[in-house]
Amino acid sequence: MLTLLIAAVVTGTIVGGLGRLVLPGRQNIGWPATILAGVVAALVGGGIAYLFHFDDKILLVLLVEVALAAICVSVIAKAQAGKGGA
């Protein structure tokens, strides 16, 4: 169980960081939010890959996870910008 948690955090950190890199401009969110977005994207992306039977194609799974992380990071950044601007 601990190994799974550590693996999820490490994978989430990498996927979340890549998700931030593919977005243009600067996102004013902290590293915990980036890791959280990456963990969520990795879990959902892995689930999608399993559901559609392409979980053996590692590069395709990574691309799906990074795309989902970019969406998550964008949503979090917009939510935080809306909170600060209101």
Side-chain angles (χ1 to χ4, degrees):
M1 183 68 179
L2 181 62
T3 307
L4 179 63
L5 183 62
I6 292 170
V9 171
V10 169
T11 304
T13 302
I14 294 167
V15 170
L18 290 173
R20 280 184 78 162
L21 282 175
V22 299
L23 289 175
R26 186 162 196 265
Q27 295 79 38
N28 290 322
I29 65 172
W31 60 269
T34 301
I35 293 173
L36 180 64
V39 169
V40 169
L43 291 174
V44 172
I48 290 171
Y50 179 77
L51 227 63
F52 291 103
H53 305 292
F54 64 89
D55 52 333
D56 58 335
K57 295 170 180 56
I58 296 171
L59 185 59
L60 185 57
V61 174
L62 181 65
L63 289 174
V64 169
E65 290 173 351
V66 170
L68 289 171
I71 292 169
C72 287
V73 166
S74 178
V75 167
I76 292 170
K78 286 187 191 307
Q80 286 187 353
K83 220 174 21 175

